[in-house]
Amino acid sequence: DDDDDDDGGGGGPMTAGAPATTGPIRDLTEQDLVNLRRTIYLTIMSSVGFEECAHKIMKLDIRQGLEMELCNMLVECCSQERTYLRYYGLLGQRFCVMTKAWQEAFDRAFEEQYAMIHRLETNKLRNVAKFFAHLLETDALPWTCLEHVRLNEEETTSSSRIFVKILCQELAEHLGLGTLRDRFDDPYMADVFAGLMPRENPRDTRFAINFFTSIGLGGLTDGLRKHLKDAPKRILEAQAAAAKAALDAASSSSSSSDSSSS
């Protein structure tokens, strides 16, 4: 048969009945990832507009669990530009509004980028901050991602403070200072912004007030200033309540002991 001579094994002809020999099992997962990243990169860089790019990437049919590959590549390409291009923000926004899976992927990308923000030089850092500011100001990315930001002296670096500065300045510029302040003061989101607008420790509260004031966003700190001003009063009230509770407990104990003795 001519088919037997066309075998791609490169060895001698196989004898009938002989067991088939198999080479070592190769895991192509890593190679698949490399090919996917290359394809995403080329698509992002060669597309005329964000709509064309989003359409092409959707046709790639990226399988579930690999959403982060697109997020990371998008952030990386954005950071490499000399100046921030709105093209990247619009592209990220398009994917965020598609499905919750993409939103969660970009939320995770925000967390990872913020955790290693100290590795980026200033220009890259600025582009990344403006990219995520675009996703937030358009409500494409849930504001719950800001729970990863803890604004205090111990948990910030010069890089993370620059990132937060650019992020908040961009949000204030596009949303307006009043709207941004209302967002941060929303009682429903108090737990999410507890790190960005700290109220537990007076020292952290002062640090946040000084930080926002120094970057021209002192209007965001009205709630923090009121909280800090009322702190002594709250402490006195708490001490008075504790003293009253102790007195009531002692009085109750004394009454119980008198009753038992009689």
Side-chain angles (χ1 to χ4, degrees):
D1 241 354
D2 292 336
D3 291 342
D4 293 338
D5 298 331
D6 293 334
D7 187 272
M14 295 179 62
T15 57
T21 57
T22 57
I25 297 174
R26 296 175 59 197
D27 183 4
L28 296 178
T29 304
E30 190 64 31
Q31 186 59 46
D32 289 345
L33 283 178
V34 171
N35 293 337
L36 176 62
R37 290 167 186 160
R38 182 186 296 113
T39 304
I40 292 174
Y41 172 78
L42 293 175
T43 304
I44 291 174
M45 302 308 292
S46 64
S47 297
V48 175
F50 77 95
E51 291 181 334
E52 175 192 334
C53 184
H55 179 69
K56 287 180 178 178
I57 291 177
M58 287 306 298
K59 287 178 68 176
L60 295 177
D61 196 22
I62 299 174
R63 68 174 183 266
Q64 188 176 4
L66 293 181
E67 293 89 354
M68 283 299 293
E69 297 301 326
L70 171 63
C71 299
N72 291 334
M73 184 59 69
L74 192 55
V75 173
E76 179 64 25
C77 290
C78 178
S79 70
Q80 296 291 340
E81 299 288 351
R82 293 178 62 185
T83 58
Y84 172 69
L85 298 181
R86 195 161 175 262
Y87 165 79
Y88 295 102
L90 291 169
L91 186 55
Q93 178 186 350
R94 174 58 60 91
F95 278 95
C96 280
V97 299
M98 282 183 184
T99 64
K100 188 172 178 61
W102 285 111
Q103 274 193 343
E104 292 172 349
F106 277 100
D107 183 287
R108 195 156 67 250
F110 179 92
E111 180 183 6
E112 292 180 1
Q113 287 294 322
Y114 184 72
M116 59 181 189
I117 204 70
H118 57 278
R119 299 180 184 177
L120 300 182
E121 59 189 50
T122 306
N123 190 62
K124 291 183 177 181
L125 189 153
R126 180 180 294 106
N127 287 350
V128 173
K130 289 187 175 184
F131 171 79
F132 283 110
H134 178 96
L135 297 186
L136 290 170
E137 72 198 32
T138 55
D139 286 321
L141 184 64
W143 287 54
T144 49
C145 68
L146 294 177
E147 66 186 352
H148 305 302
V149 179
R150 302 191 60 82
L151 192 58
N152 56 64
E153 192 172 358
E154 289 76 23
E155 296 180 82
T156 57
T157 62
S158 59
S159 295
S160 62
R161 288 192 288 272
I162 293 173
F163 177 84
V164 174
K165 168 190 171 182
I166 297 170
L167 182 74
C168 291
Q169 286 177 336
E170 285 290 308
L171 291 173
E173 180 181 344
H174 291 92
L175 296 177
L177 189 63
T179 302
L180 184 57
R181 180 178 60 241
D182 292 343
R183 285 285 185 109
F184 285 155
D185 290 343
D186 184 355
Y188 181 73
M189 299 286 282
D191 290 341
V192 171
F193 300 134
L196 187 62
M197 296 288 182
R199 286 177 165 84
E200 292 295 322
N201 187 333
R203 181 185 177 192
D204 294 343
T205 305
R206 290 191 198 94
F207 181 88
I209 291 173
N210 292 336
F211 172 80
F212 284 114
T213 303
S214 69
I215 64 173
L217 299 177
L220 298 178
T221 64
D222 292 348
L224 291 180
R225 292 176 189 276
K226 186 177 185 304
H227 176 83
L228 197 60
K229 182 180 178 181
D230 295 343
K233 180 182 176 181
R234 286 195 305 274
I235 292 173
L236 289 176
E237 289 175 350
Q239 289 175 342
K244 185 177 183 301
L247 187 62
D248 290 345
S251 174
S252 174
S253 174
S254 174
S255 299
S256 299
S257 105
D258 288 345
S259 301
S260 62
S261 61
S262 60

